[in-house]
Amino acid sequence: MPEIHNVVGFSFIALGMVLTPGPNMIYLISRSICQGRIAGLVSLIGVAVGFVFYMLCAAFGITTFLMMVPFAYDTLRIAGACYLIYLAWQAVRPRGKSPFEVKELQPDSNKKLFTMGFITNLLNPKIAVMYLSLLPQFISPGHCSVLSQSLFLGFTQIIISVAVNTIIVLSASTIAVHLSNRPVWLQVQRYLMGTVLFGLATKMMINDK
């Protein structure tokens, strides 16, 4: 198991990232509103399998990478911080849109819903970069097995993401109606998330352990 402060820190970043609008959130909300909660949950299962795929690839790859490449940790730390800054900008940039501004989707079978959720996650650059550049900096090579730490943190992220997205799927219609009548809350959410992500990026930049 990773050190507790690493688990807590990574959990906060995982929570912040799942709350940041992206392809997964937009797809799940659109699907839930257009075809119902069951369709949204089936799609979420596909997204979760995509997380597991990325997590396993990253866990085994990171284990080898950190052991073989000099300065790999610092390189990934800086790359992860830069990516959080990019996400912060995406949250506050002018003309940014809310994920609750959904598009119409045609009803699909459960098999297609699962497949589309899986593919949407595989093609989501936020997930790939998170595992490859953010995960390693919460691993302490001298603490215990790098692989076991990677797997533990990866499953922590998956649990947080699935839990949050389940809530979003089940309440998508209600939230969409509520926020559409209160545009100020959309602005507050965007700027709050941008501030949190930028703060995390700054902390990561200056924290070289």
Side-chain angles (χ1 to χ4, degrees):
M1 177 177 174
E3 295 177 281
I4 188 63
H5 68 274
N6 284 339
V7 176
V8 173
F10 184 74
S11 296
F12 274 111
I13 286 185
L15 179 61
M17 293 188 72
V18 74
L19 292 175
T20 303
N24 288 342
M25 181 185 289
I26 293 172
Y27 175 70
L28 292 173
I29 291 173
S30 299
R31 183 57 69 185
S32 300
I33 293 176
C34 294
Q35 197 172 337
R37 294 175 176 174
I38 298 300
L41 291 174
V42 172
S43 300
L44 177 56
I45 294 174
V47 169
V49 173
F51 278 130
V52 173
F53 175 83
Y54 263 130
M55 185 270 294
L56 292 176
C57 290
F60 287 99
I62 288 169
T63 300
T64 303
F65 189 51
L66 290 181
M67 290 181 175
M68 295 181 62
V69 181
F71 309 112
Y73 173 81
D74 285 334
T75 300
L76 292 176
R77 176 174 61 86
I78 294 172
C82 290
Y83 186 66
L84 285 185
I85 292 174
Y86 168 76
L87 289 180
W89 166 247
Q90 291 292 85
V92 302
R93 65 186 176 88
R95 297 182 296 280
K97 292 184 178 181
S98 165
F100 289 92
E101 296 177 19
V102 299
K103 61 180 181 180
E104 292 294 327
L105 297 175
Q106 295 298 319
D108 289 309
S109 65
N110 286 344
K111 179 179 179 179
K112 187 171 183 180
L113 291 172
F114 173 88
T115 302
M116 291 177 66
F118 177 71
I119 293 175
T120 297
N121 202 11
L122 286 188
L123 298 179
N124 184 357
K126 181 169 71 173
I127 304 306
V129 174
M130 181 189 70
Y131 279 121
L132 294 176
S133 64
L134 297 182
L135 181 61
Q137 50 201 300
F138 291 92
I139 294 173
S140 301
H143 178 63
C144 63
S145 167
V146 172
L147 178 60
S148 64
Q149 292 183 72
S150 300
L151 292 173
F152 187 94
L153 292 172
F155 278 114
T156 297
Q157 181 273 327
I158 292 172
I159 291 171
I160 291 172
S161 180
V162 170
V164 171
N165 279 313
T166 297
I167 295 173
I168 290 174
V169 164
L170 295 178
S171 56
S173 297
T174 302
I175 295 174
V177 172
H178 178 81
L179 292 181
S180 64
N181 296 324
R182 296 168 175 82
V184 173
W185 284 106
L186 293 178
Q187 291 289 96
V188 171
Q189 183 269 341
R190 289 171 52 207
Y191 281 97
L192 177 61
M193 186 54 57
T195 301
V196 171
L197 290 173
F198 185 79
L200 289 170
T202 302
K203 182 178 184 298
M204 287 161 51
M205 279 285 196
I206 64 177
N207 180 23
D208 60 1
K209 293 188 178 180

